[in-house]
Amino acid sequence: MAAALLFALLLRAACFYYKSPDYIHFLQPWMEEFRSGGGFAALRTTTSNYNLPYLYFLALISYLPLSDLLLIKSLSVLFDILLAAALYRAAAARSSSASAAVVFAAALLWPTFILNSAYWGQCDSIYAAFCVMSYERAMAGRPKTSVIMAGAAFAFKLQTVFFLPVFLVLWAAGRVKPRHAVLFPLPYIITSLPAAAMGWTPGRIVGVYTGQAGIYSSYLTLNAPSIFAFLPKDTPKQPYFTAGIILAAAFCIAAAAHALRKRPDQTAVYAAMITLGVPWLLPSMHDRYFYLAEAFMLLYAAARPRYALLPVMVMAGSLGGYHAYLIRGALCYDLWPFALLMLLALLAVCVTALRRPDG
């Protein structure tokens, strides 16, 4: 595990000086706002559309005489390690320590995870780490901590919604109670207080996520290898956009109903199935939105090594979207082979859930 960590850090260090289009067009201008606007004082006027906890981090590092690029990527790499540690703990609770160590090493050396944080400069490792921690705490009999961790994930990234339906399964398995849901908003509320003290209105605080949801709503897919990758480029938005939302909701309800009937003791198969199926069915998904599914597929494969090919398939499908953006630099409409990989992996997980839900 130590050797894997060292090698993983070396690989990431080799990626650190690359400036992605997202960094050049978004993160770098935001950092210039914070540096010229007086750090935390610039929160009042920032044009960033990221949520507040991440903006606090940007404001904090603006006081340091160090490279913005390296500091931003370092935070994501830190959460790469925390994500791997959370996967290790979750895997160790239901499989051998050797299998858990393999999951730890695999998560650190996972190509899309390295590209996401150290190369691209994205921060998906943050919300993913909190989501896996939330799942692990629920399975460890700590439902309150689990819900708070999920709330922390949501405070950082809207994409936490891919994980929230897993709580229906955790409820069906007796791991959480409906009353615990009152704890979910606490991290969001607490992290909003400093901004509110600086003049942010409730509408502006809530508007961060509503604005994010609306920016790309005219697209059926944004380089995501989803069900919409099978449609031609000139396909109209409706009725497919609405159909995708309905299918994703029906998929989650069906998974929860099946779990409620089977009352499984272990729920990793459902977590993998939901975090993969929801972004595959939803419209307006981005290339990075299968990040969480890859993490839970690794966890699922830890207990069932014969399914080790499934997380590799999901990772390969996700790489198709990464390549479309990072290499081709544009919206691509020939990602159906990668979408097919995702579909095959999803069907395999669904079959195992039907046959052996205690997985």
Side-chain angles (χ1 to χ4, degrees):
M1 290 169 66
L5 176 58
L6 177 60
F7 187 46
L9 291 176
L10 291 174
L11 289 174
R12 284 165 171 79
C15 301
F16 258 34
Y17 289 95
Y18 170 75
K19 294 183 178 181
S20 71
D22 278 354
Y23 177 80
I24 294 171
H25 298 300
F26 299 103
L27 289 168
Q28 189 172 36
W30 295 342
M31 282 306 306
E32 290 173 356
E33 289 178 357
F34 281 110
R35 288 193 180 277
S36 63
F40 281 97
L43 280 169
R44 296 185 178 93
T45 57
T46 180
T47 59
S48 173
N49 67 344
Y50 272 29
N51 210 28
L52 288 166
Y54 196 77
L55 295 187
Y56 298 152
F57 167 74
L58 296 184
L60 179 64
I61 65 174
S62 70
Y63 295 99
L64 302 177
L66 299 172
S67 165
D68 295 335
L69 179 67
L70 300 186
L71 289 170
I72 286 170
K73 290 187 175 184
S74 294
L75 178 68
S76 297
V77 168
L78 171 62
F79 275 90
D80 281 350
I81 299 170
L82 294 177
L83 172 61
L87 287 169
Y88 172 83
R89 289 191 58 168
R94 57 189 300 270
S95 58
S96 68
S97 58
S99 296
V102 170
V103 170
F104 177 82
L108 287 174
L109 301 173
W110 207 243
T112 46
F113 293 175
I114 295 173
L115 287 173
N116 188 287
S117 60
Y119 190 76
W120 199 334
Q122 289 290 345
C123 57
D124 294 286
S125 59
I126 300 178
Y127 89 92
F130 279 118
C131 286
V132 175
M133 291 177 197
S134 172
Y135 176 82
E136 186 273 330
R137 289 291 80 193
M139 297 305 294
R142 301 289 298 275
K144 294 180 181 178
T145 306
S146 170
V147 174
I148 291 172
M149 288 292 184
F154 186 76
F156 272 97
K157 276 277 191 176
L158 178 61
Q159 285 73 44
T160 303
V161 297
F162 304 149
F163 172 72
L164 295 184
V166 175
F167 275 97
L168 295 174
V169 175
L170 294 173
W171 165 70
R175 299 290 181 173
V176 296
K177 302 294 184 184
R179 65 176 182 270
H180 296 139
V182 299
L183 298 173
F184 179 77
L186 286 183
Y188 197 98
I189 294 172
I190 291 171
T191 56
S192 298
L193 293 178
M198 299 186 70
W200 279 53
T201 64
R204 185 181 179 188
I205 292 172
V206 175
V208 173
Y209 281 167
T210 57
Q212 288 179 8
I215 291 176
Y216 304 106
S217 61
S218 60
Y219 298 91
L220 288 175
T221 176
L222 293 101
N223 290 337
S226 67
I227 188 174
F228 300 101
F230 294 106
L231 298 177
K233 177 180 178 180
D234 55 353
T235 300
K237 175 181 174 179
Q238 294 293 0
Y240 301 100
F241 190 94
T242 301
I245 295 175
I246 294 172
L247 284 174
F251 180 81
C252 293
I253 293 171
H258 185 263
L260 188 61
R261 185 167 66 89
K262 294 294 184 179
R263 297 285 182 176
D265 180 60
Q266 300 294 333
T267 58
V269 61
Y270 292 101
M273 182 173 64
I274 289 172
T275 54
L276 176 57
V278 170
W280 195 80
L281 291 168
L282 280 177
S284 299
M285 296 293 98
H286 290 240
D287 25 43
R288 299 175 286 104
Y289 285 5
F290 292 94
Y291 190 105
L292 192 59
E294 294 176 63
F296 277 105
M297 289 296 290
L298 281 172
L299 181 60
Y300 173 58
R304 295 188 176 186
R306 63 182 179 275
Y307 296 117
L309 181 61
L310 295 183
V312 176
M313 291 171 62
V314 175
M315 181 267 293
S318 189
L319 272 177
Y322 277 52
H323 178 271
Y325 179 79
L326 293 174
I327 305 301
R328 301 170 68 177
L331 284 178
C332 299
Y333 296 91
D334 54 359
L335 298 179
W336 68 265
F338 303 101
L340 181 60
L341 274 178
M342 295 291 194
L343 174 59
L344 293 175
L346 178 60
L347 291 175
V349 176
C350 290
V351 169
T352 56
L354 291 173
R355 291 180 177 178
R356 291 183 58 191
D358 269 315

